[in-house]
Amino acid sequence: MAERTRLAVVGAGPAGLAGALAAAARGVRVTLVDAAEQAGGQFFRRPAEAFAARRPPAPHPREHTWERLRDALDRYRAAGTVTHLTEHHVWCVERLPASRGFAVHALCGPAQEEGVTVRADAVLLATGGYERVLPFPGWTLPGVVTAGGAQAVLKGQLVLPGRTVVVAGTGPLLLPVAAGLAEAGARVAALVESAGPRALLRRAPALAGQPGKVAEGVHYAARLLRYGVRPLARHTVVEAHGADRLEAVTVAALDRGGRLAPGTARRVRCDALAVGHGLLPHTDLAETLGCALSGTDVRVDTEQRTDVPGVWAAGETTGVGGADLALAEGHIAGRSIAARLRGTAPDPRAWAVADRARTRLRAFAAALDAVYAPPSDWVDRMTDDTTVCRCEEVGAGRVREAVGALGAGDARSVKLLTRAGMGWCQGRMCGPAVAGLTGCPLTPGRRPFARPVPLGVLAGLPEPRPD
Amino acid sequence: MRLTCDVVVVGAGAVGAACALYAARAGLDVCVVDRGQVAGGTTGAGEGNLLVSDKAPGPELELALLSAGLWAGLADELGPAVEYEPKGGLVVAKTPGELSALHGLAERQRAAGVAAVRVGPRELAELEPHLSPGLAGGVLHPQDAQVMPALAAAHVIRASGARLHTGSNVTGVLRGRSGAVRGVRTARGDIHAPAVVNAAGTWGGELAALAGTHLPVLPRRGFVLVTEPLPRMVRHKVYAADYVADVASDSAALRTSPVVEGTSAGPVLIGASRERIGFDRALSLPAVRALAAGAIGLFPFLEPVRALRTYAGFRPYLPDHLPAIGPDPRVPGLLHACGHEGAGIGLATGTGRLIAQALTGEATELDLGPFRPDRFGAPGTSPATRGGQTP
């Protein structure tokens, strides 16, 4: 077992980094555990050294913020205050009995076959989010990728998903993804957004409170215009076509009610479709620890504390809101942890700036959430043979049968009766579709193992012993 | 008062499903109510074992034998949807001492009508090529089988034609002036019937209390580990001989003994842990650690295989390890069909048949005496013991 640390931070994206640095700056010994090769998370993802040397990427829009975080991390690592465990995939955080702190269990090694356990007095969960996938006919064809996946491969390996790309779905991620693809040399055949411009106008007051964030969107839109890409608002991709791989998509307009407008369908040729419908928080570790959730988000107080003593959470896991919100929340969490580990109550005035940013950015995120919505009839547009669960190859028709003929009424009973959600991804991908087809709200699934664990690692877990 | 139906079955798990099926086939009009979903309780957390091998001669084994025959018939009728697999159980012993105890049990089981075949070390390797070498021997039980329990419950309810009300929490048992039941009250309205079957599994004690009587059902937690899908590596249900002792034990502390089986869908299922710590679903790494170690001990190839998930279920446990089946003499019209501990899927069909016979006043195929729901007395009195049975 690794040496006991004061604070274990799970995730080295914006929230985890900000939290680790804020705590380290106040003398807390931190172990930062992260699945990636380098710190930064998805937002600050950069190519590995070898890739970057060959072909330097365009500068990150938040280069300055990144440099500040990276330099501070390097400093604390050199001083021994922060230990950064890269390529460590946490599968469970265990609360040890009798207030003996926490055991963070991770997998490492080339095939994630080796078990590592980090003991800590406090835990900050900064596990980020993952993409919401809404199936439609043809979405499993090779060439269809998630918007975030396309971005990750472009940022991390400087690889394009195709030559002619359609970017589709809904949410603020589509603009930067399309702009990034165009700048890297792809032809963006269409940018298809199901939200309408009116929805944006209705939320104008909340959005106007964030001139910087709105300007960011305008900036991406302007960059896209240079490549001749004009976003198609209130449109959707109805179907992806192709024999063995993607050859074209059908794009259609939506009416005011968010339903398909008849007679508007047209085909757009492409060899890649990057589709995204926003993010969902990663809450598996928090749920297994017993942290209360609110909807799909980990519930936290003003200090970013969960309701489990010793466990803090920050960033997308507490509600999707972007990198700036994650930085603010992580910073507050780190300062709170430093005070609480010393046995004192923190003075919230010390983080007043971050607190104001947090309030503003949460309001902004709530406004965006209301604007960006999938088409209202997306559930009905899944045909019976549209695959819902890729791992177990379950089509929408079988889910409908389980609900209609066999009496299933929630995601768990659908899973039991169809196997949807029983495979490798444990329902992360099919969860929204199953919930839609079942007619119930999306609830986080209980996943005691946040990722698959070799039985040998389970069998070799350290026996807890008194210390 | 207008009756809604002839009988209300509370509980849409495997036992409730079978009660509904056989009652409906006996000509009764049946409603099934559940506060959750079909197979939402212990049925959905089980492995679907239909076992005779782990039972010593006695009333439970008789019920298991009756049930095994009924399951085979139902499987013919319902087809592949319920994933019935008569794959047989293989009990293995590590030491000669364990093996002779196992042979002794098998001898007694054979006398009670169970097929039990002694297997030497070499034949073990033929039956299960990936089994750990060096085992002393085992016993093969060809009558052991498996179903996918949630699918089985759902399809049996569907085949019964009973009206199914899920998401309907029973908040009261309606009783007439004489004390006899008149139906149930649910959050969605009253259901009037002259008979109520308590098939609420681990929550059967709560339903008994709503009917003004007492049934000491307690949860006994178990974890199951589910691996990634694999080609067929484990052919039978394979378990270590100490499982039988664990099943019968009265200990509240964590006990684990490896039970390993492949499924038609691909994943290998690994059980079985037992502990009495209430309705706590929280992951217990000590429990899953012991399960994994035990499974690797039997099948070394499992070491690099990944567990995709684990989940807890709560076996409905009665102090003498026997279910409560039949009319409750304290409350006319109330019948119990719960407390099957870890054997509820296997014993469901026989239980359903006996309940249907009790409902229609037919002679029951088995003596309901050992399953009497009033055998535990009132709360606070000393619990009944196992009536001369050896575990």
Short mmCIF file of all heavy atoms in Angstrom, two decimals, chain B residues 158-209:
data_model
loop_
_atom_site.label_atom_id
_atom_site.label_comp_id
_atom_site.label_asym_id
_atom_site.label_seq_id
_atom_site.Cartn_x
_atom_site.Cartn_y
_atom_site.Cartn_z
N ARG B 158 -46.57 -12.85 -17.00
CA ARG B 158 -47.27 -12.62 -18.27
C ARG B 158 -48.10 -13.85 -18.65
O ARG B 158 -49.25 -13.73 -19.07
CB ARG B 158 -46.22 -12.33 -19.34
CG ARG B 158 -46.78 -11.90 -20.65
CD ARG B 158 -45.65 -11.93 -21.65
NE ARG B 158 -45.93 -11.19 -22.84
CZ ARG B 158 -45.06 -11.07 -23.84
NH1 ARG B 158 -43.86 -11.62 -23.75
NH2 ARG B 158 -45.38 -10.41 -24.92
N ALA B 159 -47.50 -15.04 -18.47
CA ALA B 159 -48.22 -16.27 -18.81
C ALA B 159 -49.42 -16.49 -17.90
O ALA B 159 -50.39 -17.13 -18.30
CB ALA B 159 -47.27 -17.47 -18.72
N SER B 160 -49.36 -15.96 -16.69
CA SER B 160 -50.47 -16.17 -15.74
C SER B 160 -51.71 -15.39 -16.17
O SER B 160 -52.82 -15.74 -15.80
CB SER B 160 -50.05 -15.73 -14.33
OG SER B 160 -50.08 -14.31 -14.22
N GLY B 161 -51.50 -14.33 -16.92
CA GLY B 161 -52.63 -13.48 -17.29
C GLY B 161 -53.11 -12.61 -16.14
O GLY B 161 -54.12 -11.91 -16.26
N ALA B 162 -52.42 -12.65 -15.02
CA ALA B 162 -52.83 -11.84 -13.86
C ALA B 162 -52.67 -10.36 -14.19
O ALA B 162 -51.84 -9.97 -15.01
CB ALA B 162 -51.97 -12.19 -12.65
N ARG B 163 -53.47 -9.54 -13.52
CA ARG B 163 -53.31 -8.09 -13.65
C ARG B 163 -52.14 -7.66 -12.80
O ARG B 163 -52.06 -8.01 -11.62
CB ARG B 163 -54.58 -7.37 -13.21
CG ARG B 163 -55.68 -7.41 -14.28
CD ARG B 163 -57.00 -6.96 -13.73
NE ARG B 163 -57.66 -8.03 -13.00
CZ ARG B 163 -58.72 -7.85 -12.24
NH1 ARG B 163 -59.22 -6.63 -12.08
NH2 ARG B 163 -59.29 -8.86 -11.62
N LEU B 164 -51.23 -6.93 -13.38
CA LEU B 164 -50.01 -6.54 -12.68
C LEU B 164 -50.05 -5.05 -12.36
O LEU B 164 -50.27 -4.22 -13.23
CB LEU B 164 -48.80 -6.85 -13.59
CG LEU B 164 -47.43 -6.35 -13.13
CD1 LEU B 164 -47.00 -7.05 -11.84
CD2 LEU B 164 -46.38 -6.59 -14.22
N HIS B 165 -49.87 -4.74 -11.08
CA HIS B 165 -49.81 -3.33 -10.66
C HIS B 165 -48.45 -3.08 -10.04
O HIS B 165 -48.24 -3.38 -8.86
CB HIS B 165 -50.90 -3.02 -9.63
CG HIS B 165 -52.28 -3.36 -10.09
ND1 HIS B 165 -53.01 -2.51 -10.90
CD2 HIS B 165 -53.06 -4.45 -9.89
CE1 HIS B 165 -54.20 -3.07 -11.16
NE2 HIS B 165 -54.25 -4.25 -10.55
N THR B 166 -47.52 -2.56 -10.82
CA THR B 166 -46.22 -2.23 -10.24
C THR B 166 -46.25 -0.79 -9.74
O THR B 166 -47.16 -0.02 -10.08
CB THR B 166 -45.09 -2.39 -11.28
OG1 THR B 166 -45.43 -1.63 -12.43
CG2 THR B 166 -44.90 -3.85 -11.66
N GLY B 167 -45.26 -0.45 -8.94
CA GLY B 167 -45.23 0.89 -8.38
C GLY B 167 -46.40 1.15 -7.45
O GLY B 167 -46.78 2.31 -7.24
N SER B 168 -46.98 0.09 -6.90
CA SER B 168 -48.13 0.23 -6.00
C SER B 168 -47.75 -0.28 -4.61
O SER B 168 -47.74 -1.48 -4.36
CB SER B 168 -49.32 -0.60 -6.50
OG SER B 168 -49.81 -0.07 -7.70
N ASN B 169 -47.45 0.64 -3.75
CA ASN B 169 -47.04 0.26 -2.41
C ASN B 169 -48.28 -0.16 -1.60
O ASN B 169 -49.26 0.57 -1.55
CB ASN B 169 -46.36 1.47 -1.76
CG ASN B 169 -45.65 1.10 -0.48
OD1 ASN B 169 -45.34 -0.06 -0.25
ND2 ASN B 169 -45.40 2.10 0.36
N VAL B 170 -48.20 -1.33 -0.98
CA VAL B 170 -49.31 -1.76 -0.12
C VAL B 170 -49.15 -1.06 1.23
O VAL B 170 -48.14 -1.22 1.91
CB VAL B 170 -49.31 -3.29 0.06
CG1 VAL B 170 -50.32 -3.70 1.13
CG2 VAL B 170 -49.65 -3.97 -1.26
N THR B 171 -50.15 -0.26 1.57
CA THR B 171 -50.05 0.51 2.82
C THR B 171 -50.91 -0.09 3.92
O THR B 171 -50.81 0.31 5.07
CB THR B 171 -50.49 1.96 2.59
OG1 THR B 171 -51.81 1.95 2.03
CG2 THR B 171 -49.55 2.67 1.62
N GLY B 172 -51.75 -1.05 3.57
CA GLY B 172 -52.57 -1.67 4.61
C GLY B 172 -53.20 -2.94 4.08
O GLY B 172 -53.34 -3.14 2.87
N VAL B 173 -53.53 -3.84 5.02
CA VAL B 173 -54.27 -5.04 4.66
C VAL B 173 -55.69 -4.83 5.20
O VAL B 173 -55.88 -4.56 6.38
CB VAL B 173 -53.63 -6.30 5.26
CG1 VAL B 173 -54.50 -7.52 5.02
CG2 VAL B 173 -52.24 -6.52 4.65
N LEU B 174 -56.67 -4.89 4.28
CA LEU B 174 -58.06 -4.65 4.68
C LEU B 174 -58.59 -5.89 5.39
O LEU B 174 -58.37 -7.02 4.93
CB LEU B 174 -58.91 -4.34 3.44
CG LEU B 174 -58.38 -3.23 2.52
CD1 LEU B 174 -59.22 -3.15 1.24
CD2 LEU B 174 -58.40 -1.89 3.25
N ARG B 175 -59.28 -5.69 6.52
CA ARG B 175 -59.82 -6.84 7.26
C ARG B 175 -61.26 -6.56 7.66
O ARG B 175 -61.63 -5.43 7.96
CB ARG B 175 -58.97 -7.11 8.49
CG ARG B 175 -57.53 -7.52 8.10
CD ARG B 175 -56.64 -7.65 9.30
NE ARG B 175 -56.96 -8.83 10.07
CZ ARG B 175 -56.35 -9.15 11.21
NH1 ARG B 175 -55.40 -8.38 11.68
NH2 ARG B 175 -56.69 -10.23 11.86
N GLY B 176 -62.05 -7.61 7.64
CA GLY B 176 -63.45 -7.49 8.04
C GLY B 176 -63.60 -7.51 9.55
O GLY B 176 -62.62 -7.58 10.29
N ARG B 177 -64.86 -7.48 9.98
CA ARG B 177 -65.10 -7.41 11.42
C ARG B 177 -64.59 -8.66 12.13
O ARG B 177 -64.08 -8.62 13.23
CB ARG B 177 -66.61 -7.23 11.67
CG ARG B 177 -66.91 -6.37 12.87
CD ARG B 177 -68.38 -6.00 12.93
NE ARG B 177 -68.72 -4.99 11.92
CZ ARG B 177 -69.95 -4.84 11.42
NH1 ARG B 177 -70.92 -5.67 11.77
NH2 ARG B 177 -70.22 -3.89 10.55
N SER B 178 -64.66 -9.80 11.44
CA SER B 178 -64.20 -11.05 12.05
C SER B 178 -62.67 -11.14 12.07
O SER B 178 -62.11 -12.05 12.65
CB SER B 178 -64.75 -12.22 11.25
OG SER B 178 -64.16 -12.21 9.95
N GLY B 179 -62.02 -10.22 11.39
CA GLY B 179 -60.56 -10.28 11.32
C GLY B 179 -60.05 -10.86 10.02
O GLY B 179 -58.86 -10.81 9.73
N ALA B 180 -60.95 -11.41 9.23
CA ALA B 180 -60.53 -12.03 7.96
C ALA B 180 -60.13 -10.94 6.96
O ALA B 180 -60.69 -9.85 6.97
CB ALA B 180 -61.66 -12.86 7.38
N VAL B 181 -59.15 -11.26 6.10
CA VAL B 181 -58.70 -10.24 5.15
C VAL B 181 -59.76 -10.02 4.07
O VAL B 181 -60.52 -10.92 3.70
CB VAL B 181 -57.34 -10.60 4.48
CG1 VAL B 181 -56.27 -10.87 5.52
CG2 VAL B 181 -57.47 -11.74 3.52
N ARG B 182 -59.77 -8.76 3.61
CA ARG B 182 -60.72 -8.36 2.58
C ARG B 182 -60.01 -7.72 1.39
O ARG B 182 -60.65 -7.14 0.53
CB ARG B 182 -61.70 -7.33 3.16
CG ARG B 182 -62.64 -7.87 4.21
CD ARG B 182 -63.88 -8.45 3.54
NE ARG B 182 -64.81 -8.98 4.51
CZ ARG B 182 -64.80 -10.27 4.90
NH1 ARG B 182 -63.92 -11.11 4.40
NH2 ARG B 182 -65.68 -10.70 5.78
N GLY B 183 -58.69 -7.76 1.41
CA GLY B 183 -57.95 -7.15 0.31
C GLY B 183 -56.80 -6.32 0.83
O GLY B 183 -56.39 -6.45 1.99
N VAL B 184 -56.30 -5.47 -0.03
CA VAL B 184 -55.19 -4.60 0.39
C VAL B 184 -55.49 -3.16 0.00
O VAL B 184 -56.23 -2.89 -0.95
CB VAL B 184 -53.84 -5.03 -0.26
CG1 VAL B 184 -53.40 -6.40 0.22
CG2 VAL B 184 -53.90 -4.97 -1.78
N ARG B 185 -54.87 -2.26 0.75
CA ARG B 185 -54.94 -0.84 0.42
C ARG B 185 -53.60 -0.48 -0.21
O ARG B 185 -52.55 -0.81 0.33
CB ARG B 185 -55.17 -0.03 1.70
CG ARG B 185 -55.12 1.47 1.50
CD ARG B 185 -56.01 2.16 2.52
NE ARG B 185 -57.40 1.85 2.24
CZ ARG B 185 -58.41 2.08 3.11
NH1 ARG B 185 -58.15 2.60 4.30
NH2 ARG B 185 -59.65 1.77 2.78
N THR B 186 -53.63 0.16 -1.36
CA THR B 186 -52.38 0.60 -1.98
C THR B 186 -52.45 2.10 -2.18
O THR B 186 -53.52 2.71 -2.07
CB THR B 186 -52.13 -0.05 -3.36
OG1 THR B 186 -52.93 0.63 -4.34
CG2 THR B 186 -52.47 -1.53 -3.36
N ALA B 187 -51.30 2.65 -2.48
CA ALA B 187 -51.22 4.09 -2.73
C ALA B 187 -52.13 4.47 -3.90
O ALA B 187 -52.52 5.62 -4.05
CB ALA B 187 -49.78 4.49 -3.01
N ARG B 188 -52.48 3.48 -4.72
CA ARG B 188 -53.31 3.76 -5.90
C ARG B 188 -54.73 3.25 -5.76
O ARG B 188 -55.41 3.04 -6.76
CB ARG B 188 -52.66 3.15 -7.14
CG ARG B 188 -51.29 3.71 -7.40
CD ARG B 188 -50.80 3.22 -8.72
NE ARG B 188 -49.52 3.82 -9.05
CZ ARG B 188 -48.86 3.56 -10.14
NH1 ARG B 188 -49.36 2.72 -11.02
NH2 ARG B 188 -47.71 4.14 -10.38
N GLY B 189 -55.13 2.97 -4.55
CA GLY B 189 -56.50 2.54 -4.34
C GLY B 189 -56.58 1.15 -3.71
O GLY B 189 -55.58 0.45 -3.60
N ASP B 190 -57.79 0.79 -3.30
CA ASP B 190 -58.00 -0.49 -2.63
C ASP B 190 -58.22 -1.59 -3.66
O ASP B 190 -58.81 -1.37 -4.72
CB ASP B 190 -59.23 -0.42 -1.73
CG ASP B 190 -58.99 0.49 -0.53
OD1 ASP B 190 -57.82 0.92 -0.36
OD2 ASP B 190 -59.94 0.77 0.21
N ILE B 191 -57.74 -2.77 -3.32
CA ILE B 191 -58.01 -3.95 -4.13
C ILE B 191 -58.74 -4.93 -3.22
O ILE B 191 -58.21 -5.32 -2.18
CB ILE B 191 -56.70 -4.58 -4.67
CG1 ILE B 191 -55.97 -3.56 -5.56
CG2 ILE B 191 -57.01 -5.86 -5.45
CD1 ILE B 191 -54.62 -4.04 -6.05
N HIS B 192 -59.96 -5.28 -3.58
CA HIS B 192 -60.79 -6.12 -2.71
C HIS B 192 -60.71 -7.57 -3.15
O HIS B 192 -60.95 -7.88 -4.32
CB HIS B 192 -62.24 -5.64 -2.75
CG HIS B 192 -62.39 -4.24 -2.25
ND1 HIS B 192 -62.27 -3.90 -0.93
CD2 HIS B 192 -62.60 -3.07 -2.91
CE1 HIS B 192 -62.42 -2.59 -0.78
NE2 HIS B 192 -62.62 -2.07 -1.98
N ALA B 193 -60.37 -8.43 -2.21
CA ALA B 193 -60.28 -9.86 -2.51
C ALA B 193 -60.36 -10.62 -1.19
O ALA B 193 -59.92 -10.12 -0.16
CB ALA B 193 -58.97 -10.18 -3.22
N PRO B 194 -60.92 -11.82 -1.24
CA PRO B 194 -61.03 -12.61 0.00
C PRO B 194 -59.72 -13.29 0.41
O PRO B 194 -59.67 -13.90 1.47
CB PRO B 194 -62.09 -13.65 -0.36
CG PRO B 194 -62.01 -13.79 -1.84
CD PRO B 194 -61.60 -12.46 -2.38
N ALA B 195 -58.70 -13.20 -0.43
CA ALA B 195 -57.43 -13.85 -0.08
C ALA B 195 -56.26 -12.96 -0.49
O ALA B 195 -56.29 -12.34 -1.55
CB ALA B 195 -57.33 -15.21 -0.77
N VAL B 196 -55.27 -12.91 0.38
CA VAL B 196 -54.05 -12.14 0.11
C VAL B 196 -52.86 -13.07 0.31
O VAL B 196 -52.77 -13.76 1.34
CB VAL B 196 -53.93 -10.93 1.05
CG1 VAL B 196 -52.55 -10.24 0.89
CG2 VAL B 196 -55.04 -9.92 0.78
N VAL B 197 -51.98 -13.13 -0.70
CA VAL B 197 -50.77 -13.96 -0.59
C VAL B 197 -49.59 -13.04 -0.34
O VAL B 197 -49.31 -12.13 -1.13
CB VAL B 197 -50.55 -14.80 -1.87
CG1 VAL B 197 -49.24 -15.58 -1.77
CG2 VAL B 197 -51.72 -15.74 -2.09
N ASN B 198 -48.89 -13.29 0.75
CA ASN B 198 -47.71 -12.51 1.09
C ASN B 198 -46.49 -13.12 0.41
O ASN B 198 -45.88 -14.05 0.92
CB ASN B 198 -47.54 -12.50 2.62
CG ASN B 198 -46.25 -11.83 3.07
OD1 ASN B 198 -45.58 -11.16 2.27
ND2 ASN B 198 -45.91 -11.98 4.35
N ALA B 199 -46.16 -12.59 -0.77
CA ALA B 199 -44.97 -13.03 -1.49
C ALA B 199 -44.00 -11.87 -1.55
O ALA B 199 -43.35 -11.61 -2.57
CB ALA B 199 -45.34 -13.52 -2.89
N ALA B 200 -43.92 -11.14 -0.44
CA ALA B 200 -43.11 -9.91 -0.42
C ALA B 200 -41.66 -10.19 -0.06
O ALA B 200 -40.90 -9.25 0.22
CB ALA B 200 -43.72 -8.91 0.57
N GLY B 201 -41.27 -11.46 -0.06
CA GLY B 201 -39.86 -11.78 0.10
C GLY B 201 -39.28 -11.25 1.41
O GLY B 201 -39.84 -11.44 2.49
N THR B 202 -38.16 -10.54 1.26
CA THR B 202 -37.46 -10.02 2.43
C THR B 202 -38.31 -9.02 3.20
O THR B 202 -38.05 -8.72 4.35
CB THR B 202 -36.15 -9.38 1.97
OG1 THR B 202 -35.53 -10.26 1.03
CG2 THR B 202 -35.19 -9.19 3.13
N TRP B 203 -39.30 -8.46 2.53
CA TRP B 203 -40.17 -7.47 3.16
C TRP B 203 -41.47 -8.12 3.66
O TRP B 203 -42.41 -7.44 4.02
CB TRP B 203 -40.44 -6.34 2.16
CG TRP B 203 -39.13 -5.67 1.81
CD1 TRP B 203 -38.55 -4.61 2.46
CD2 TRP B 203 -38.21 -6.05 0.76
NE1 TRP B 203 -37.33 -4.33 1.90
CE2 TRP B 203 -37.08 -5.19 0.85
CE3 TRP B 203 -38.20 -7.06 -0.21
CZ2 TRP B 203 -35.98 -5.28 -0.02
CZ3 TRP B 203 -37.10 -7.15 -1.06
CH2 TRP B 203 -36.02 -6.27 -0.96
N GLY B 204 -41.48 -9.47 3.68
CA GLY B 204 -42.67 -10.22 4.09
C GLY B 204 -43.06 -9.95 5.54
O GLY B 204 -44.25 -10.01 5.88
N GLY B 205 -42.07 -9.67 6.38
CA GLY B 205 -42.38 -9.37 7.77
C GLY B 205 -43.18 -8.09 7.90
O GLY B 205 -44.10 -7.98 8.73
N GLU B 206 -42.87 -7.12 7.05
CA GLU B 206 -43.61 -5.85 7.08
C GLU B 206 -45.06 -6.07 6.65
O GLU B 206 -45.98 -5.49 7.23
CB GLU B 206 -42.96 -4.82 6.13
CG GLU B 206 -41.61 -4.33 6.62
CD GLU B 206 -40.86 -3.57 5.54
OE1 GLU B 206 -41.51 -2.82 4.76
OE2 GLU B 206 -39.63 -3.72 5.46
N LEU B 207 -45.26 -6.89 5.63
CA LEU B 207 -46.63 -7.13 5.18
C LEU B 207 -47.41 -7.88 6.25
O LEU B 207 -48.58 -7.57 6.50
CB LEU B 207 -46.65 -7.90 3.85
CG LEU B 207 -48.07 -7.92 3.28
CD1 LEU B 207 -48.39 -6.63 2.56
CD2 LEU B 207 -48.32 -9.11 2.40
N ALA B 208 -46.74 -8.85 6.89
CA ALA B 208 -47.40 -9.58 7.97
C ALA B 208 -47.84 -8.60 9.06
O ALA B 208 -48.96 -8.69 9.59
CB ALA B 208 -46.45 -10.64 8.54
N ALA B 209 -46.98 -7.64 9.37
CA ALA B 209 -47.31 -6.66 10.41
C ALA B 209 -48.52 -5.82 9.99
O ALA B 209 -49.39 -5.50 10.81
CB ALA B 209 -46.11 -5.78 10.69
#
